[in-house]
Amino acid sequence: MSEPVLWRCLPFDAMQARTLYALLRLRSEVFVVEQQCVFLDMDDADADCLHLLGERNGQLVASARLVPPGLKYPEASIGRVVTAPDARGGGLGHQLMAEAVRVLCGLWGQQPIRIGAQAHLQAFYRRHGFETDGPVYQEDGIDHVEMRRP
């Protein structure tokens, strides 16, 4: 059995250089290389968000960006949800989303949460209480859809 994931949530300015490097590398590995999507991941929002980091054996294996209300949407948001390719298959993505919702509500109170989800992941997000809330749209060449958790 693998080691448990240790979760921590940090503001951008509290991340040490190695932690930030690992985060940006993981996001690039998945969003740019694996998904073959050329886009600018660093969108000027990271500095105003909190970053949920999941580490196993000292290695970053999962992350999500917690976006305060009013920054991207009127509601709080969870974005840049990512798990390391070699850490998949054991429910880590579901652990990540459950922890992201828990931490977000702890930070800003129980409230609706809006996400911009890749359309093919709607069933995954529905398992965490999100409902489709709008039409499919293109973002960086990938079908997305807004979803909301009441």
Side-chain angles (χ1 to χ4, degrees), residues 1-73:
M1 186 166 151
S2 63
E3 291 294 316
V5 174
L6 300 176
W7 299 102
R8 60 187 175 140
C9 185
L10 298 173
F12 184 82
D13 289 335
M15 281 193 269
Q16 294 182 358
R18 286 187 184 275
T19 302
L20 178 59
Y21 180 86
L23 172 62
L24 296 177
R25 180 181 169 92
L26 176 59
R27 288 180 4 188
S28 291
E29 178 183 2
V30 173
F31 299 140
V32 177
V33 177
E34 180 182 305
Q35 295 181 355
Q36 299 178 358
C37 180
V38 178
F39 82 112
L40 186 59
D41 175 43
M42 291 161 275
D43 61 357
D44 295 325
D46 284 315
D48 297 319
C49 298
L50 289 145
H51 301 271
L52 180 63
L53 308 170
E55 297 170 334
R56 183 183 287 146
N57 297 322
Q59 298 295 311
L60 183 65
V61 293
S63 178
R65 183 166 78 176
L66 307 182
V67 185
L71 185 62
K72 183 168 179 158
Y73 303 109

Side-chain angles (χ1 to χ4, degrees), residues 100-111:
V101 168
R102 186 188 73 73
V103 172
L104 184 149
C105 291
L107 288 166
W108 300 309
Q110 189 71 31
Q111 63 182 285

Side-chain angles (χ1 to χ4, degrees), residues 82-102:
V82 62
T83 58
D86 61 357
R88 295 179 190 153
L92 180 59
H94 291 293
Q95 289 177 44
L96 172 60
M97 279 307 297
E99 186 70 5
V101 168
R102 186 188 73 73

